Amino acid sequence: MPQTVKGVIARAKGAPVELVDVIVPDPGPGEAVVAIQACGVCHTDLHYREGGINDSFPFLLGHEAAGVVEAVGAGVSEVAPGDFVILNWRAVCGACRACLKGKPWYCFATHNAKQKMTLTDGTELSPALGIGAFIEKTLVAAGQCTKVPAADAAAVGLLGCGVMAGFGAAVNTGGVGRGDSIAVIGCGGVGNAAIAGAVVAGATTVIAVDVDDRKLEMARAFGATHTINSAAGDPVQGIRALTGGHGADVVVEAVGRPETYEQAFYARDLAGTVVLVGVPTPDKQVTLPMIEIFGRGGALKSSWYGDCLPSRDFPMLVDLYRQGRFPLESFVSERIGLGDVEAAFEKMHRGEVLRSVVEL
């Protein structure tokens, strides 16, 4: 029987979010209802509210979440009621050309729940990234649920987006490993996750670059060996000076702007790797000399969700967290209620938090 629960929606572009009643249907074939325990407040949710993703209002916001499966529909075998799960927004299909090539982290046919959650007047909601988790209970595709060992939902739920994106940008996409040097440009949640991931992978020179000394201090706490305030000096020269004059083996750009991408391009060593994980707006363009692209060699990559495979990466990272080797709890700046999302957006905009996390 459908349930009525409380959820946070963006009704119109730029309008303050609202806490409203939402109708959650029973799970159909291949679907699951999850009781949300915690959900991070991510920049992507703010982009939805501001109309930066699309204009399919009203949106049910929230996507970086963990909780407990309450019910499943017909044909679901990967999870069962009572399972503690992290939600992901790239449920792999197993049948597209990427999956059939053995690269499911690139899946080109990821899927969401087929049924819609609605307002009490029947208005259909568009769930953020196919999840919609600023809500007491949500309906998702069962493949969007990854079973993991029980842990602090506020911490491990962050693997659902930002932390996984950053960790994966460094480790999965960038391939940083033992003895490598890495520079990370932009030290918000994603950038600091890249730093923490590089530390786990064994990088010995970990350089954090930002214009905000507060963020650089946070980066030190996540394992950065050096910091550069790019508002005070040329970060390319700074990175080269810290790497024997050569540049870093891997440079992660976690901002999504042409000027920082150009810095990343020139701050890498010959045959080094640039990874773009910062999401640019559609109007952004970058111009680079083709002779430099050819002459410097290496690879210029973008990182989709950290090139993660949730079934592989989520349990591994939760294990590392439980062992005290990956500091997920340090990304949680504050724990708030469903009614505090709008205020959390303001704090995020001012750069005061890595992550505000809604607890239910």
Side-chain angles (χ1 to χ4, degrees), residues 49-134:
R49 194 199 70 173
E50 297 302 311
I53 307 294
N54 58 54
D55 59 358
S56 300
F57 291 92
F59 292 109
L60 176 61
L61 301 179
H63 59 280
E64 201 174 61
V68 175
V69 175
E70 181 180 88
V72 298
V76 173
S77 58
E78 54 266 65
V79 292
D83 286 346
F84 180 73
V85 296
I86 300 171
L87 300 183
N88 73 80
W89 46 271
R90 287 185 59 79
V92 300
C93 72
C96 72
R97 61 191 185 279
C99 289
L100 293 177
K101 288 178 181 177
K103 299 178 180 180
W105 49 90
Y106 292 140
C107 179
F108 302 143
T110 58
H111 55 282
N112 305 318
K114 291 182 170 59
Q115 298 183 89
K116 291 287 190 179
M117 292 175 278
T118 68
L119 299 177
T120 54
D121 64 1
T123 301
E124 291 187 349
L125 294 170
S126 300
L129 291 176
I131 294 177
F134 290 151

Side-chain angles (χ1 to χ4, degrees), residues 166-187:
F167 179 98
V171 177
N172 295 340
T173 313
V176 68
R178 291 174 296 176
D180 282 345
S181 58
I182 182 173
V184 178
I185 300 176
C187 298

Side-chain angles (χ1 to χ4, degrees), residues 211-234:
V211 297
D212 187 334
D213 285 331
R214 294 174 302 173
K215 292 184 177 180
L216 292 173
E217 185 177 347
M218 292 179 192
R220 283 276 191 186
F222 283 104
T225 58
H226 306 81
T227 60
I228 297 172
N229 187 319
S230 54
D234 182 357

Side-chain angles (χ1 to χ4, degrees), residues 6 13 24 45 62 69 86 147 163 169 172 202 204 207 220 236 249 251 267 270 289-290 296-297 321-323 344 349:
K6 293 292 185 182
K13 181 177 179 178
V24 180
D45 296 305
V69 175
I86 300 171
K147 183 178 178 179
V163 172
N172 295 340
T204 49
I207 305 165
R220 283 276 191 186
V236 175
D249 296 309
V251 183
L270 292 175
M290 287 190 69
R296 299 183 69 81
Y321 163 61
R322 283 157 52 98
Q323 293 164 14
H349 183 71

